[in-house]
Structure formats: C-alpha cells, structure tokens
C-alpha cells in the first residue's frame, strides 16, 4: 500500500485587491497524480511557483485540497479526525526555520515535539541528545535560537522533526541556508533515517546534486507532474529540464557537454565517481603526478592584493574594516564573539564573493558595512570617511550601500509588491509617480512577473519574495549592493538570471557587489574575488582560482570547492596532467579535453 497517494489534487489561492476583496484565483496545484511507497527517498523538483511547497503543505495538512484526493499513511487528509495522526506520521521541515522554532532555548525547542507526543522524559532526553549530535548543534544546546545564524536555526529545525521519529519527513528546501558541511550532515541524516529506519523522505530542493541521490524524482511545472523517474532517467533529459527552468548536477552537465563534443562517455553520469571511472577507462594516464609544490599558497590580506583597472589605474577604496571586532550579547550569559580583528578593504567596482561556514561571521560583517550593526572595536570607513565620525549621515550611507537580507520577507511590508519596491525611492525624496516608475523599472530588471506586482508580498513564493526584495534595493540605485544568500530559494534558472542581473549591474553601472553564498559553483562562476571567513576571522582572500586550490583547508573550515575542481584534483592524483586551479565548467572541459 502506498504511503502517499494523490489523485487529481488541485489547490487555488484567492487573489485579493487592496481592500481585501476577492478579485480572482491563482492555481497552485492543477491535477497532481502520484504515488510514494513506504521507505522511498523522493526528490521533488520544479521552478519557483511550480507548486512544490503547496504540495508539501498538503502532505502535512497545513492546506486542504480544493479538488481531488490525497491519502497519507492510509488516511484521507480531509478527514478532520485524522489530522493529528497524519501530522504525527508526516513531519515537516520548512524553508524558513523561524516558522517552526518556538522555544527560547535550543534543547527545549528540539524537545517540544516529543513532549507533545507524550514521549517519556528519559526518552525525550535521549532523542534530543541524538538529534542535536546528528545535525552538529550539540555545542549550542543551551543557546537561544534568536542568537543563532540562519543556517544554525535550520539545523535546530531539522533536529526538532527528527526527534519526533515520524514515518515520513517532508523537507522543503532544508539546506538552502546551510554551508557545504551542514548540507552534507543534514542529507546524511535524512539518508540514514531512510535506509536504517525505513523513514519515507520527501525532499524539495533546488540542488540537483541532492536530487541525484534520491530513489525517484517528480518534476512539477505549473501545478502538474510533468516528469517522473529515477535520477539517471531524469537527468539524461537535459534540454527538457532546462525547458522547465531546471538544471542537472554540474558533473552531469560536464559529462553531457563533453559527450556532445565527441568524448566517448556513457549516458546518465550523476557524480564524480562515475565520471572519473569513465575518464580513466578511455584515457591513458600521464607520468606527471601532482605534488604539494604544484599548488600555490594564497593567504594574503586584502590590502596586499593589487587592485587595478584594465588600464593600470589604481582602484579607489570604497569600504574598509580596520581592526573590527563584534560581540553579541556582551556582558550577558549569551555573549558570543562573532568577529575578531577584521581587516578588509573593498575597492570600487569589486565583485566579491564571501563564503564561510554557518556562524563564521559573514552576515554580521556585511551588516556593519551599512551601519545596521555598530561596533565598539575598530573602525569602518566609507569612501575614506569613518562612519562613526560626528556629522556622518547614516541615512546617506544606507542610500549608497544597499543590503538585501538573508530572509527577504524581513524587509517586505507594504500592501502590494510595487508599493513595497517604491518605498525606498519615496524616502529618497521622489514623488509618488517617480517612485512608482523607479519601482516598475526595478521589478522588470529582476524579471518578476507583472502579474505579481499588485499582489501582497506575502502571497509570493520564496524565490519571488527574494526578487522583490532585491528590486526594492535596486530601485534606490546604490553604489554598493550587498546580498546575503541571494539565490537561496531560487530555482536554477532563477539563480542564473539573478546572477546575470547582478553581473549586469556591476558591469554597466560599475556597481560594487558583495554577495554571501554557500554555493561554491556560483562563486567560481561569478565572483572576481573571494573572501573566506572562519570563526570570525578572514582565512583566505584572493581570486577563485587561488582560493579553491586550498581544498584541505576549506574542508577543515566546513566548506568545499566546486565539483569540477574536486574532479580535476582526483584526476591529477591519478597521474593525469590537468590544471587543478580550474574552477568553472568551461575551464574543466578545456582540461579534460587534454586527456579525452
């Protein structure tokens, strides 16, 4: 008997005007038909707005069908007497952990679910210990969740659901805010529960590498299931996935493109191991073996790195942190040092990627740049002026240094999207008509559908909210654009479009860009310079090709390197003469052609 059965499942959201009157309907699910067997590990893919999260909320009875039938664990979700039993059987992990953290202490939050299920006290304690250890949060068990970073909160949310021992875990983008190490831990936890305890897992994700390890994949588009099959079958259909705004794992795309260019590789390659074996099978190893001397070491302070324009002119300093430290909750039981003696210079026109493990201080540092946080240790300069000087205008600084938060809903508040985006230009002194024109232009730049402009920001999907939040900053035409995890929650097509937009702003307007990300592949593709943070300090600072040669050091800091860089390093260790500093797909193709 199937654990989940959906037949012609439909759901519609009501569209309301500014007065709250219903003016139409927005279809979210439009005839979903699927079955999930007990103990399966299922990945659900789809572009933003395809209906993934809406479907997940039906499984946990947070939403009810408008039409059709949905059976979970043998129970109809429309049977009100079974709702509690269904929610016990199917635990939900939300995209934003703030939506499910309820307690003031981490261990109490993890215990909340088991307590409500009537689990004995000794068993609750044991479950809390195991769950926190599983997600790597044991050291934070006595902390307040409000003092944690976004990624750390997500780990707590995962632990809370794991502690309830459900038959099925529904995970809605659970790793979107996690560093590579945290992502591996959460997915390892899910797979262990699936293999060892038979827990059914429904994973909604935009990381194709995560979906590649599933038993089966469903692809949604406009509320319908448009593709279904094993990962090997799904990811073989590269062009079809692209049509639906999706992608394939980076290694799969590399193998597919190499084959298109004549390299004799098999179909359906999903991971590095498979590609490595295929390449070894049809290429002769060289005599050159990589050694430690082949890898240059780069660990320079940003002030020692030459910053010049193409014509050789020295770049101008835009922002600078000098000896900056920051402590949360100073003098309290929750005191925590987030930054320690940071020295960092950002030059006019830089495109900087900031990476670091969860809690390394990334979000804290970028909030110092536009004065949202104030430090008592060290100095912060904007265009050569100390922002703590008397008479320095913080309002003017925030107009010049725009910040897009990690969770876009934190900065959306107006009745409609277009009014929200116009709020900043109005505060800059523009009249209603001019501000609205700026807002509409910004919304076009982020490619948010015009049908969303008059909607409430809170009716948007996670990815759509992010675009709206970015539009609100772009509309103010800042000199510096700072983005905290800008692609979290975006589908692959949306991610590429957003980075292309950011890159375009950088190139056309000579805008200085700083972006925090946990995607090593995105940073390799788009950033010109990468700053690596570790435990509140700067560990590395340099070009992607320089930084990503430090594989061991980055892994020790709970980070990673792009998948193609790992592949080339493994080939080099096998004796093939490839350059391990290649970080992008195009660079990797060039190297592999040498041996293919």
């Amino acid at each position: 008997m199937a654990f989940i059965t959906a037949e012609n499942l439909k759901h519609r959201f009501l569209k309301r005007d500014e007065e709250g009157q219903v003016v139409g309907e927005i279809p979210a699910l439009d005839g979903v038909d699927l079955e999930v067997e007990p103990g399966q590990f299922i990945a659900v893919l789809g572009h933003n707005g395809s209906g993934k999260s809406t479907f997940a909320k039906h499984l946990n009875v947070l939403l009810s069908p408008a039409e059709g039938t949905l059976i979970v664990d043998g129970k109809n979700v429309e049977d009100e007497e079974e709702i509690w039993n269904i929610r016990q059987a199917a635990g939900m992990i939300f995209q934003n952990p703030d939506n499910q953290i309820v307690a003031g202490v981490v261990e109490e939050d993890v215990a909340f679910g088991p307590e409500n299920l009537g689990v004995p006290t000794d068993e609750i304690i044991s479950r809390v210990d195991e769950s926190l250890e599983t997600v790597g949060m044991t050291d934070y068990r006595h902390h307040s969740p409000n003092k944690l970073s976004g990624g750390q909160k997500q780990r707590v949310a995962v632990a809370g659901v794991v502690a309830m021992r459900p038959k099925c875990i529904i995970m809605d983008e659970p790793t979107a805010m996690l560093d590579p190490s945290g992502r591996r831990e959460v997915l390892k936890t899910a797979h262990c529960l699936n293999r060892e305890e038979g827990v059914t897992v429904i994973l909604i994700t935009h990381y194709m590498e995560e979906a590649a390890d599933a038993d089966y994949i469903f692809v949604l588009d406009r509320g319908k299931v448009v593709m279904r099959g094993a990962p090997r079958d799904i990811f073989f259909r590269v062009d079809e996935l692209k049509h639906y705004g999706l992608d394939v794992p980076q290694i799969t795309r590399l193998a597919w493109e190499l084959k298109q260019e004549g390299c004799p590789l098999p179909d359906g390659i999903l991971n590095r191991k498979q590609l490595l074996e295929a390449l070894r099978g049809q290429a002769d190893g060289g005599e050159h073996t990589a050694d430690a001397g082949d890898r240059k070491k780069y660990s320079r302070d940003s002030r020692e790195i030459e910053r010049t324009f193409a014509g050789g002119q020295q770049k101008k300093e835009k922002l600078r942190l000098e000896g900056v430290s920051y402590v949360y909750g100073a003098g309290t039981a929750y005191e925590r040092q987030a930054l320690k003696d940071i020295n960092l210079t950002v030059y006019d026109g830089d495109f900087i990627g900031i990476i670091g493990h969860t809690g390394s201080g990334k979000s804290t540092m970028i909030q110092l740049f536009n004065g949202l946080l104030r430090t008592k240790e060290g100095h912060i300069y904007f265009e050569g002026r100390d922002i703590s000087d008397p008479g320095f205008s913080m309002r003017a600084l925030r107009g010049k240094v725009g910040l897009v938060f990690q969770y876009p809903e934190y900065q959306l508040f107006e009745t409609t999207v277009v009014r929200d985006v116009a709020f900043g230009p109005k505060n800059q002194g523009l009249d209603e008509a001019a501000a609205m024109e700026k807002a509409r232009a910004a919304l076009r730049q982020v490619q948010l559908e015009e049908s969303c402009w008059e909607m409430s920001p809170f009716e948007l999907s996670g990815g759509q909210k992010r675009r709206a939040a970015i539009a609100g900053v772009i509309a103010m035409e800042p000199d510096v654009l700072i983005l905290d995890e800008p692609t979290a929650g975006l589908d692959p097509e949306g991610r590429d479009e957003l980075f292309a937009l950011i890159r375009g702003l950088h190139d056309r307007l000579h805008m200085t860009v700083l972006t925090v990300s946990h995607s090593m592949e995105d940073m390799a593709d788009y950033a010109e310079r990468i700053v690596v943070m570790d435990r509140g300090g700067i560990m590395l600072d340099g070009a992607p090709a320089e930084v990503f040669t430090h594989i061991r050091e980055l892994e020790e800091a709970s980070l990673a390197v792009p998948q193609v860089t790992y592949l080339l390093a493994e080939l080099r260790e096998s004796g093939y003469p490839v350059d391990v500093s290649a970080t992008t797909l195009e660079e990797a193709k060039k190297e592999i052609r040498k041996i293919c």
Side-chain angles (χ1 to χ4, degrees):
M1 179 180 178
F3 185 81
I4 296 169
T5 301
E7 296 179 354
N8 194 36
L9 185 65
K10 296 184 179 182
H11 189 83
R12 294 178 288 272
F13 291 108
L14 298 178
K15 185 177 181 180
R16 301 178 184 274
D17 60 20
E18 293 184 19
E19 285 73 40
Q21 300 298 314
V22 176
V23 295
E25 293 182 337
I26 303 169
L29 297 178
D30 189 18
V32 170
D33 291 293
L34 59 80
E35 284 192 351
V36 176
E37 298 299 322
Q40 276 192 309
F41 195 113
I42 300 294
V44 180
L45 306 179
H47 60 78
N48 290 118
S50 63
K52 304 184 303 298
S53 294
T54 301
F55 175 67
K57 290 174 182 176
H58 278 75
L59 299 179
N60 196 239
V61 207
L62 294 176
L63 293 174
S64 298
E67 297 179 38
T69 303
L70 179 62
I71 306 297
V72 177
D73 194 27
K75 305 169 184 66
N76 193 314
V77 298
E78 294 190 272
D79 185 344
E80 293 187 2
E81 293 183 358
E82 296 288 3
I83 290 177
W84 178 246
N85 292 326
I86 292 172
R87 288 178 179 163
Q88 280 185 277
M92 180 88 173
I93 298 170
F94 295 103
Q95 191 174 41
N96 185 343
D98 287 336
N99 293 340
Q100 67 189 103
I101 290 179
V102 296
V105 179
V106 166
E107 66 177 5
E108 292 178 3
D109 191 88
V110 177
F112 182 81
E115 285 176 347
N116 278 279
L117 295 177
V119 176
T121 300
D122 290 346
E123 176 66 14
I124 290 175
I125 294 172
S126 175
R127 289 189 187 187
V128 169
D129 291 344
E130 291 175 8
S131 299
L132 287 174
E133 183 176 355
T134 294
V135 299
M137 289 296 291
T138 300
D139 291 344
Y140 295 87
R141 66 184 305 145
H142 300 301
H143 284 89
S144 166
N146 291 331
K147 305 296 182 182
L148 302 179
S149 70
Q152 289 169 326
K153 289 179 183 178
Q154 187 63 285
R155 295 194 200 190
V156 174
V158 172
V161 172
V162 169
M164 291 190 288
R165 303 291 193 268
K167 295 180 182 178
C168 174
I169 296 180
I170 306 149
M171 310 173 82
D172 188 0
E173 293 281 352
T175 62
M177 296 296 179
L178 297 183
D179 57 50
S181 176
R183 192 179 306 150
R184 287 192 297 269
E185 288 174 3
V186 169
L187 267 295
K188 181 181 177 182
T189 299
H191 281 285
C192 283
L193 290 169
N194 174 252
R195 287 193 308 268
E196 297 174 10
E197 300 185 26
V199 175
T200 304
V201 177
I202 310 294
L203 173 66
I204 296 172
T205 182
H206 285 144
Y207 288 107
M208 301 300 109
E209 288 79 8
E210 295 178 356
D213 290 329
D215 298 327
Y216 203 79
I217 294 175
F218 292 104
V219 178
L220 293 183
D221 179 62
R222 300 181 183 181
K224 295 179 181 290
V225 177
V226 293
M227 298 174 69
R228 64 182 77 207
R232 183 185 179 89
D233 300 326
I234 294 294
F235 290 130
F236 176 64
R237 297 148 70 180
V238 177
D239 290 332
E240 191 173 351
L241 284 168
K242 188 175 181 180
H243 171 74
Y244 292 123
L246 299 175
D247 203 347
V248 297
Q250 189 184 46
I251 291 298
T252 301
R253 176 167 288 278
L254 174 62
W256 184 80
E257 292 190 8
L258 284 167
K259 184 171 183 177
Q260 297 295 107
E261 296 174 7
C263 190
L265 295 172
D267 293 327
I269 287 176
L270 296 178
N271 54 50
R272 296 200 316 267
K273 181 180 179 182
Q274 292 173 357
L275 181 53
L276 192 63
E277 289 176 352
L279 289 170
R280 284 171 174 165
Q282 54 85 42
D284 293 327
E287 295 180 357
H288 184 98
T289 302
D291 57 42
D294 290 329
R295 295 186 180 182
K296 297 179 181 179
K297 299 298 180 183
Y298 297 90
S299 184
R300 298 172 291 175
D301 187 278
S302 63
R303 291 170 297 181
E304 300 172 19
I305 299 174
E306 185 179 3
R307 306 293 178 199
T308 59
F309 292 118
Q313 180 183 353
Q314 187 70 29
K315 280 191 176 184
K316 295 180 180 178
E317 176 188 304
K318 199 71 176 178
L319 290 161
R320 177 159 52 94
L321 302 182
E322 187 177 273
V324 170
S325 297
Y326 192 85
V327 177
Y328 286 104
T332 73
Y334 297 112
E335 181 174 314
R336 177 175 66 87
Q337 181 140 24
L339 297 176
K340 295 179 291 185
D341 193 27
I342 294 288
N343 294 290
L344 177 69
T345 302
V346 177
Y347 296 90
D348 188 37
D350 269 352
F351 195 123
I352 298 176
I354 302 173
I355 63 175
H357 59 80
T358 300
S360 63
K362 305 182 301 296
S363 295
T364 300
M365 185 173 75
I366 63 174
Q367 289 180 68
L368 290 168
F369 278 131
N370 77 341
L372 284 182
L373 295 179
R374 304 288 189 95
T375 181
K376 296 180 180 179
E377 297 181 54
H379 298 274
I380 303 168
Y381 299 90
F382 176 72
E383 295 183 339
R385 288 192 61 192
D386 192 325
I387 68 172
S388 64
D389 285 348
F392 186 91
S393 172
M394 296 304 296
R395 181 175 180 178
L397 174 68
R398 289 166 187 158
K400 293 288 187 181
V401 181
L403 175 61
V404 180
F405 294 118
Q406 193 173 44
Y407 297 113
E409 51 267 40
Y410 289 174
Q411 63 195 97
L412 301 173
F413 58 90
E414 268 283 11
T415 55
T416 67
V417 170
V418 69
R419 288 185 177 277
D420 198 281
V421 177
F423 182 82
K426 282 183 185 178
N427 276 346
Q428 290 179 315
L430 297 183
D431 60 29
E432 176 79 12
M436 292 297 280
E437 183 55 37
K438 288 268 190 185
R440 285 188 282 267
L443 287 166
R444 290 189 194 99
Q445 288 192 74
V446 300
Q447 298 178 338
L448 184 62
E449 298 89 343
E450 195 165 340
S451 60
C452 297
W453 294 6
E454 296 298 333
M455 293 171 59
S456 164
F458 305 104
E459 293 178 313
L460 303 180
S461 70
Q464 290 169 330
K465 286 178 182 176
R466 189 161 299 275
R467 291 179 187 238
I470 292 172
V473 173
I474 290 174
M476 298 171 66
E477 299 181 345
D479 291 343
V480 181
L481 179 62
I482 303 177
L483 306 105
D484 196 354
E485 293 284 354
T487 60
L490 290 185
D491 56 53
E493 184 178 64
R495 174 200 65 206
D496 293 342
E497 288 175 351
L498 181 57
F499 267 120
L501 162 69
I502 296 167
R503 186 82 212 185
L505 292 169
H506 169 268
D507 294 345
R508 289 195 316 274
L509 306 177
H510 196 64
M511 184 180 287
T512 304
V513 175
L514 293 85
T515 178
V516 172
S517 180
H518 283 139
S519 172
M520 304 301 107
E521 288 76 16
D522 287 344
M523 293 298 90
D525 284 340
Y526 296 101
E528 297 169 352
R529 173 184 168 196
I530 292 178
V531 173
V532 183
M533 299 195 67
D534 180 39
R535 301 177 186 179
I538 293 178
M539 171 181 155
L540 296 167
D541 183 352
E546 300 169 340
V547 169
F548 287 134
T549 58
H550 294 266
I551 297 177
R552 180 177 56 79
E553 295 96 320
L554 289 169
E555 287 184 336
E556 288 175 353
S558 298
L559 296 173
V561 299
Q563 288 296 306
V564 295
T565 305
Y566 277 122
L567 175 71
L568 293 170
E570 289 164 347
L571 284 169
R572 186 65 172 266
E573 288 170 2
S574 297
Y576 297 103
V578 293
D579 183 359
V580 296
S581 68
T583 61
T584 67
L585 189 143
E586 288 301 319
E587 292 170 349
K589 280 166 57 179
K590 180 180 178 182
E591 292 303 312
I592 291 174
R593 286 193 199 103
K594 296 176 181 177
I595 64 173
C596 187

